[in-house]
Amino acid sequence: MSETSVPSSSGINTAATVVLTIVALYFGREIFVPFALAVLLSFMLAPPVNWLRRTRLPRSAAVLLVVSSAVAVITGLSFLVGTQVVGLANNLPTYQKTMQDKIRSIRAAAPGGGPIDRSTAVIQALGRELSEAAGTGSKNTDGKRQKEPLPVRIEPAEREPLDVMKSVLGSMLGPVGTAGLVIVFIFFVLLAPSDLRDRFIRLAGSDLHRTTEALNEAASRVSRYLLMQLVVNASYGVPLGFGLYLIGVPGAFLWALLATMLRFIPYLGPVIAAIFPLTLAFAVDPGWSMLLWTAALVVVLELVSNNVIEPWLYGSSTGMTPMAVILSAIFWTLLWGPVGLFLATPLTVCMVVMGRYVPQLAFIDVLLGSDPVLSAEERLYQRLLAGNVEEAVEIAEAEVAEHSLLEFYDDVGMETLRLAENSREHGASKEDRKNVADGFRAIVEDLQDMPTAKPEEEPEEPTRPWLGTPILCIAGRGELDAAAALLLAHTLESRGIGTRVLPASAIALDAINNLDLAGVDVICLSYLNPMPKAYARFICRRLKPRIGHIKIVLGLWNLANGSSTPEKLAADAGAHAAATNLDMAAHIVEDIMQQTTVPLVAVPPPLPAEEMERLQALQASGVLAADKTPLLDRIARSVAEAVDMPIGLVSLIDDSLQLWKGAFGLSEELLKSRQASRDSSICTHVVASNTPLVVEDIARDPRFARNEFLRAHGFRFYAGVPLRTKSGHVIGSLCVMDKKPRTLSPRELKLMLVIADELMIDLAREAELEGVTLEAVHANGPLDSTESTDTTEPAEPAESAEMTGTGKQSVPASPVEPT
């Protein structure tokens, strides 16, 4: 037998088995229906039996007690329902008269006799026309109408009492016999549940593990479904009965019980349950208030049940799609009648579970199960292949929301591109691959602004940024490789590494010598081909004479099974390293950058004009006195809170140091030293320019991105305003900072200027009261700035509280006149 004939014969055998099973279920319904009901009810009765068993009651006694109690409850409910039905039957003539009066009033209220009367008249006229047409055809050949036959009525003979009794008993024996079989089956199921389970396992096969898992999952799902459905139905039926009783609808208890039972029928049950009380409310009340109140009660209960109670109680679904629920209801109703409608969902749940564990029944889980039959990458690939970019974007956004952007790129994005590349073997055209690549670029563009990681997964330390575009991400061969290079570029940019993406045409034979490599440190070649060795080696050999210190990293995203290791492929091709996923490639590139990047040197700050006079003004202001520190700390805290920043500073610049006489929000290390080198301070730019300065992202500002001190402490945002003395000299800055990129509004900047001016006015007033004047300083000569500071030893350069960043290019603020 050939290999292709085996699956076909297996499929035929499975189909034949399914057909024979359906035929057996239909013709054996007299036995299977009671047995299915018994198994279903045993799921509900098993918990009380187990509870009684824990009290050391014998199993037979526990089963007898529980089943007897259940029969007694059902009998009592049946008696109450019968009483309600008899009472409604006795009042039917009264209800009939009320309904006729309402219909007459509706007819009278409608203009022109109403649509009902007009429709009835038309139908009657058509009937007469049809009768006359039929009568003309029943004439004899001489034109005379035949005589109408005399009506003859046959009266049945009066039935004997014994015949009546046999007829009544015969109609009752069917339901009673079914109930008896159900009770007998329940006894057997509850008395020996383990024996029944063992026999089913033996029938299912020899794989005890899979069969046991299937039975446990089916029992769990069915039990959960029945329990939750009973709670949901009761939460609907009890308020319905109480509300109908208050409204005055007869038989309120009957309709509540009927609603509770009918809601076990999916979709159709709630509609049927609502028809009865609405019809009775229409028939009982001569007016319309009872009908309106009943309708309002039904609508409110449906809304609460469907939108509040069911989502709350159904923590996990039955594992079926809504369409599967409808199809199962139709199938089991056709097979077993009304009882099949009640059993549809539990039986189908069991079939879906078996489809997950029995390979021959896997089609049932595919058709009816609620789990996605295609993985995320398969769904994404199918949408892109069909040109449905909008739905592909929705799938991508859902995956990113559930995981993270970088995880989506690595786990779903690359898998999608692999599927597209491997589809060459199945006849995919170049146009198909182009559709996938174009759609994927649209997805990446849509996801650009989404966070690359979940908030709890963001690293505490800032990533290390590199200026310019030191990484070239180049497609190895085609458009799919270009899409992979785009994913790698976005991954690297999320780590602060500048990138540039180039198509495969940039390394073609006639273009590779013109490749712009200025400022490039690493070239990343992306390949989705399962066997990329020859292509990578050719490109690396062509690039070698030009690259110099530039490293080549191979992105081997789709290596074939059994091929060489990435390390060996990189060595054979002449590349520095190779990676098989985006995270691995990002780590390799970061390691290369850290090894090859020259030490970062801060740009020397400008020297302000009249520096000696400025230093004398600093000494004369009295702000360097030790007793001013508590006041300046309060000012630093106030300005930070005023503009909602974590760090606030009163920073003073002397001839070699920046001194944080007022500080709020600094680390313990920096608070201990309260000073750092003047060359590493952004405040020196404020002092030199005599204007406010706002740097929204230090890492992207060419003046400060290479400042090792700022980078070491993670400062990303800075905003400072000058501290001017009465003589107009700038002795420092009042600044705020953050460790993430930020913005500052013009109103907030002006508020900082007001606080700075008020601070300098207060300091000048105190200096005058203490008798410290600028003339006295000139008479005694300039003082060394370090003599006026605290007596503590100068510590290692610490953190300048004047910096922390945003994500945008720094923007020098325009001067604002102090108020």
Side-chain angles (χ1 to χ4, degrees), residues 88 94-95 98-99 102 248-250 279-287 290:
L88 291 174
T94 305
Y95 302 156
T98 304
M99 293 179 68
K102 282 189 175 181
V249 178
T279 304
L280 196 59
F282 176 77
V284 171
D285 187 15
M290 182 179 290

Side-chain angles (χ1 to χ4, degrees), residues 119-363:
S119 302
T120 304
V122 171
I123 293 172
Q124 290 175 351
L126 290 174
R128 285 195 298 271
E129 291 290 337
L130 292 174
S131 298
E132 292 175 2
T136 58
S138 62
K139 292 180 180 179
N140 290 328
T141 54
D142 56 0
K144 295 180 180 180
R145 187 183 298 275
Q146 292 180 347
K147 288 185 177 182
E148 294 290 337
L150 294 174
V152 178
R153 186 174 63 184
I154 301 175
E155 293 286 345
E158 187 175 352
R159 301 180 64 185
E160 296 292 333
L162 186 60
D163 294 334
V164 176
M165 185 177 298
K166 286 182 180 180
S167 176
V168 173
L169 290 177
S171 62
M172 293 178 59
L173 282 178
V176 171
T178 302
L181 280 177
V182 170
I183 294 174
V184 171
F185 283 139
I186 288 176
F187 268 108
F188 280 110
V189 171
L190 292 177
L191 282 174
S194 301
D195 181 69
L196 184 65
R197 182 175 61 250
D198 294 344
R199 295 181 185 278
F200 182 82
I201 290 174
R202 178 54 61 194
L203 286 174
S206 58
D207 192 342
L208 297 179
H209 177 73
R210 294 177 65 85
T211 309
T212 301
E213 282 188 353
L215 287 176
N216 291 339
E217 185 176 345
S220 173
R221 288 197 179 190
V222 171
S223 299
R224 183 175 61 246
Y225 166 75
L226 292 175
L227 178 60
M228 292 298 101
Q229 189 66 53
L230 180 62
V231 174
V232 170
N233 293 357
S235 67
Y236 178 90
V238 172
L240 178 67
F242 184 70
L244 292 177
Y245 175 78
L246 294 179
I247 293 171
V249 178
F253 173 77
L254 172 63
W255 309 129
L257 181 61
L258 190 64
T260 302
M261 299 304 297
L262 285 175
R263 286 180 69 85
F264 276 100
I265 303 174
Y267 302 108
L268 187 60
V271 177
I272 298 174
I275 289 175
F276 290 106
L278 289 172
T279 304
L280 196 59
F282 176 77
V284 171
D285 187 15
W288 299 95
S289 61
M290 182 179 290
L291 176 62
L292 295 177
W293 278 109
T294 304
L297 175 65
V298 170
V299 170
V300 170
L301 288 179
E302 284 290 343
L303 291 175
V304 173
S305 179
N306 294 336
N307 299 297
V308 178
I309 297 178
E310 288 188 10
W312 175 48
L313 292 178
Y314 287 152
S316 55
S317 67
T318 57
M320 296 168 55
T321 61
M323 181 62 70
V325 174
I326 296 174
L327 292 177
S328 67
I330 296 173
F331 173 79
W332 290 106
T333 303
L334 293 175
L335 202 64
W336 286 352
V339 179
L341 196 58
F342 281 97
L343 298 173
T345 301
L347 290 176
T348 310
V349 167
C350 296
M351 292 172 58
V352 169
V353 172
M354 295 305 297
R356 294 183 177 180
Y357 293 93
V358 181
Q360 292 80 2
L361 302 179
F363 68 93

